[in-house]
Amino acid sequence: MTFRKSAALTALLVTCAFVVVDAAPARAEAPNLLQLLFGKRKKQEAAPVPMVEAGFQAMPMVKGAAKPAALPRVTGPSYYTYKAEALKPVEMLKLADPVVTGSIDDYATPPVRRSPEGEIRHEFASVTALAPAESGKAVENYYSHNAGLIWVSGSQISDRARVALSVLADAESVGLDAQDYAVDVPSAVFDSSDMVARYRELAAFEVDLSAAVATYILDTVRGRINPNRISGYHDFVRKEVNLAAALKNVALSPDVSAFLRSRAPSGSHFQALAAELKALRAENEAADPVVIAAGTVMKPGESNPELANIVKGIVQHGSESLKTEHATTIAAYRDTPEYTPELVALVEAFQKDQGLKPDGVVGQATIRRLTGGDNVAEKIFKVQVAMEQARWLPAELGSRYVFINQPAYMAYYHDKDDEQFAMRVVIGSKANQTYFFQDEIQTVEFNPYWGVPQSIIINEMLPKLRSDPSYLDRMGYEVEVNGRPVSSTQINWSSTKGVAVRQPPGDDNALGDLKILFPNAHAIYMHDTPSKSYFKKDMRALSHGCVRLAEPRLMAAAVLGTTVDDVAAQIKKGRNKAVSVPQKIPVYVSYFTAWPNKDGKVEFYDDIYGRDAYMRKAMEATRTARQAQS
């Protein structure tokens, strides 16, 4: 197979678009502008000039004619200011013991002698509890259908309550915030002469703990954060959690701890993250972290108070051979700020040891190595974010699935509960970000067409088309207006409404030999590419949003349940052909800056789109909304 010389240059612009505006219902793929501008032009027979729909007249090529008005650019989704859910009152007044009449404070001559449980339920009328709306409704539902109490026995809290409180206090171990579930616990010692006060205290505890347990279950199943409130790039259907049934199970369960802990995701990926979080917290308690002031830059001969931290970083993160070779310099250093030749040599040796340019200049890259990359606190946060986001996905990812992790620039194929292979991918650039969602693989298309998205037509092609309306024809692209084939010269390129452009199959097709489809609202899919050199790069956020595969034939064979040779034979036929997969396969187009590898070891990645920062804001907003009102 041969490719155009311009393939590497065009790769940045030959993937999926993120927004479609004024597009006819047509194909959602296409080649890119640089390929069109600089690629080797095809010779093509002159196309017949069909009738053009009204509103699309030939553009007059008159010298000095007025230029059409500039079209607005098509822009991608935006990030939002996260709006956390406010706590709502739990309506307990209507659930107070209906047997009681008169004032709720009139205990001088009670009309009915009740059990302590009845007295506590009577005091529900005095409880002012707050909870997330779903948790509050579940509490109201439970006590409206069940006469008994869950957490109180007689005039004391029960053993069941103590077990539940212990699980809530350990919420940090599953990536949650224990303060979100904090409950005031009544003292075991009380004034027996004032039982009204005691019953009120126990009533408040009963309702508060039920609300806290319901909220814990809700959070550990689906997460505290609503991903769709973070950005337009997040697309998830939030999980439904039957909290009313969960509270009933809590009341009946012989092992409350086991029941509550089993609500967390059960997959091995989540268990690995939880284990990593525990290990990092232990490391953080014992650590003496290296902290170097942000923005520090130090050159040989300068004086800088951060030098002491730089030497400390070399001692902590340098190799043993380096520290042995420079033992005299390290031992003689006395925290002075002067960057002497001996210390320059030490820094250069450290840089060489770390695979950096050994120039003695301490900048951002060197500081990252001196501080151990992500410091422990940053790693803890990344794991917490990963555990929260893992709750947006199924608790078990399945025995067979494709997992794309954007920060890792990798795609993984799992079958029979094990990773079968992994490959490099190219994902959307920061300006054209790949979405975060899940779907199901349905089709593999061989020798595909590439329909040019409206975003590329408007943002990248119009300037050329307005000065040279014929160049799409010369490049071999097919153009339609409202579904009817036309020559690109017959279109008034002041508008793209109703216009569809596509590139036929071929050696230089932007999608290469095949694409793997999982139909979604974002026109995101996996595909081949003629720009193979980009897979050699470390930073591979280079596309318009779709996912380019380094080994597309291997992935296609896996999802079709066939061989790579069979895939090659299909491609060799040269015909455009779509083949349905025998069984739909889950695909997770995900974004995790911390995620376990196939051996269960958690690896950390750069936050290429800055999404963890938005997660931090969302978590802070949720914490403020919950704890400020509680």
Side-chain angles (χ1 to χ4, degrees):
M1 181 179 294
T2 59
F3 300 101
R4 296 186 177 183
K5 293 180 180 178
S6 61
L9 178 61
T10 63
L12 280 172
L13 298 172
V14 292
T15 42
C16 303
F18 37 84
V19 174
V20 178
V21 176
D22 282 343
R27 309 151 184 96
E29 323 112 356
N32 89 40
L33 181 57
L34 288 182
Q35 187 177 23
L36 300 179
L37 294 177
F38 299 108
K40 183 178 179 181
R41 296 178 175 176
K42 291 182 179 179
K43 291 183 179 180
Q44 184 181 358
E45 296 179 6
V49 180
M51 292 180 64
V52 183
E53 296 290 333
F56 287 91
Q57 304 170 359
M59 182 181 292
M61 303 304 291
V62 179
K63 195 170 184 179
K67 292 181 65 176
L71 287 171
R73 289 184 63 81
V74 178
T75 58
S78 53
Y79 286 86
Y80 313 136
T81 299
Y82 190 83
K83 297 186 183 302
E85 179 186 2
L87 302 186
K88 304 291 184 183
V90 182
E91 301 292 344
M92 298 302 294
L93 178 61
K94 60 187 177 183
L95 302 177
D97 189 342
V99 174
V100 178
T101 60
S103 168
I104 62 172
D105 294 321
D106 185 7
Y107 276 79
T109 56
V112 180
R113 186 175 182 83
R114 291 171 298 238
S115 66
E117 186 174 271
E119 298 289 358
I120 293 168
R121 283 191 65 100
H122 169 60
E123 289 301 333
F124 280 173
S126 66
V127 173
T128 56
L130 295 171
E134 289 175 77
S135 302
K137 292 297 182 185
V139 171
E140 295 167 14
N141 179 280
Y142 177 82
Y143 289 106
S144 67
H145 292 88
N146 298 275
L149 303 177
I150 305 175
W151 313 113
V152 175
S153 177
S155 57
Q156 296 286 354
I157 68 172
S158 65
D159 290 340
R160 181 181 299 272
R162 293 186 181 90
V163 171
L165 289 168
S166 176
V167 174
L168 299 185
D170 192 40
E172 306 283 349
S173 68
V174 288
L176 300 175
D177 187 342
Q179 287 302 309
D180 285 351
Y181 321 105
V183 175
D184 289 333
V185 181
S187 171
V189 179
F190 61 92
D191 183 356
S192 59
S193 66
D194 188 1
M195 292 305 296
V196 174
R198 181 60 174 180
Y199 292 144
R200 284 185 174 174
E201 187 179 35
L202 292 172
F205 174 76
E206 174 77 18
V207 174
D208 286 344
L209 184 53
S210 291
V213 166
T215 303
Y216 175 87
I217 293 171
L218 190 67
D219 291 349
T220 199
V221 170
R222 76 176 190 190
R224 294 164 289 171
I225 306 304
N226 183 339
N228 302 320
R229 295 183 183 179
I230 296 173
S231 82
Y233 293 107
H234 293 74
D235 184 8
F236 287 91
V237 176
R238 294 208 83 190
K239 296 176 183 176
E240 295 290 336
V241 184
N242 189 340
L243 291 181
L247 280 179
K248 189 171 183 178
N249 287 333
V250 166
L252 297 174
S253 175
D255 190 340
V256 174
S257 177
F259 176 80
L260 291 178
R261 294 184 189 280
S262 70
R263 300 306 92 190
S266 53
S268 59
H269 60 285
F270 192 86
Q271 303 308 315
L273 290 168
E276 180 71 9
L277 183 61
K278 181 178 180 180
L280 287 171
R281 285 206 169 108
E283 181 182 346
N284 196 43
E285 290 178 3
D288 181 18
V290 176
V291 179
I292 298 173
T296 294
V297 176
M298 188 176 68
K299 299 178 180 179
E302 294 182 345
S303 178
N304 194 310
E306 292 299 323
L307 183 58
N309 292 322
I310 290 167
V311 174
K312 178 180 177 181
I314 293 173
V315 172
Q316 284 199 14
H317 301 291
S319 66
E320 291 303 318
S321 60
L322 178 149
K323 287 184 283 187
T324 299
E325 183 179 350
H326 295 269
T328 302
T329 300
I330 293 171
Y333 180 64
R334 294 291 180 268
D335 294 346
T336 53
E338 289 76 28
Y339 193 22
T340 63
E342 294 80 11
L343 293 171
V344 171
L346 174 63
V347 169
E348 288 175 344
F350 176 80
Q351 291 172 324
K352 184 177 181 181
D353 192 52
Q354 296 290 318
L356 302 174
K357 181 180 179 181
D359 57 6
V361 177
V362 178
Q364 184 177 354
T366 302
I367 289 173
R368 181 171 175 79
R369 303 301 177 91
L370 288 166
T371 56
D374 290 322
N375 62 38
V376 177
E378 289 172 338
K379 287 182 178 179
I380 288 173
F381 176 70
K382 285 188 173 186
V383 173
Q384 289 172 326
V385 168
M387 295 174 81
E388 178 70 15
Q389 294 179 165
R391 293 180 164 99
W392 305 342
L393 304 177
E396 291 278 358
L397 298 180
S399 62
R400 186 185 184 206
Y401 61 90
V402 174
F403 190 88
I404 300 163
N405 190 14
Q406 297 168 50
Y409 303 114
M410 294 292 292
Y412 310 86
Y413 175 72
H414 286 247
D415 193 14
K416 300 176 182 177
D417 295 313
D418 200 10
E419 181 184 308
Q420 301 299 315
F421 60 79
M423 67 181 65
R424 289 189 162 206
V425 300
V426 171
I427 63 167
S429 66
K430 191 167 185 180
N432 304 302
Q433 298 179 17
T434 301
Y435 288 72
F436 188 176
F437 66 105
Q438 65 185 73
D439 216 295
E440 290 183 318
I441 295 171
Q442 298 185 20
T443 310
V444 176
E445 185 175 336
F446 299 110
N447 302 304
Y449 285 87
W450 180 45
V452 183
Q454 283 285 311
S455 58
I456 294 178
I457 295 173
I458 292 173
N459 294 346
E460 301 168 21
M461 292 183 174
L462 273 183
K464 177 66 175 177
L465 284 164
R466 285 179 169 179
S467 62
D468 180 9
S470 67
Y471 94 97
L472 284 179
D473 293 340
R474 296 197 311 273
M475 295 294 294
Y477 285 78
E478 300 174 359
V479 183
E480 293 179 355
V481 176
N482 297 323
R484 298 184 61 183
V486 299
S487 165
S488 67
T489 61
Q490 298 305 112
I491 298 175
N492 182 345
W493 288 105
S494 63
S495 171
T496 63
K497 187 172 183 179
V499 177
V501 179
R502 70 174 184 173
Q503 181 187 31
D507 289 349
D508 60 342
N509 183 279
L511 305 183
D513 293 333
L514 62 86
K515 62 180 178 180
I516 300 173
L517 299 172
F518 34 98
N520 57 83
H522 318 300
I524 300 290
Y525 47 86
M526 297 183 284
H527 65 85
D528 186 16
T529 175
S531 303
K532 305 295 186 184
S533 63
Y534 281 7
F535 295 109
K536 298 177 182 178
K537 296 178 179 290
D538 292 329
M539 198 291 290
R540 298 190 292 279
L542 302 168
S543 81
H544 271 92
C546 276
V547 179
R548 305 181 200 173
L549 301 172
E551 301 175 81
R553 297 186 182 194
L554 178 61
M555 185 67 79
V559 301
L560 287 170
T562 186
T563 65
V564 173
D565 288 343
D566 181 60
V567 169
Q570 293 282 356
I571 293 168
K572 189 176 181 180
K573 293 176 182 177
R575 292 188 297 108
N576 172 246
K577 182 181 179 181
V579 179
S580 297
V581 298
Q583 183 179 18
K584 293 180 181 179
I585 302 169
V587 57
Y588 305 102
V589 185
S590 63
Y591 191 94
F592 290 91
T593 55
W595 194 255
N597 61 23
K598 63 180 180 180
D599 299 319
K601 177 177 173 56
V602 174
E603 297 180 340
F604 296 87
Y605 308 101
D606 290 338
D607 184 12
I608 52 179
Y609 294 153
R611 290 180 183 170
D612 281 2
Y614 287 95
M615 281 294 291
R616 186 187 297 275
K617 292 177 182 178
M619 289 177 171
E620 289 173 352
T622 300
R623 183 181 301 111
T624 299
R626 290 182 173 186
Q627 298 175 19
Q629 293 179 266
S630 60

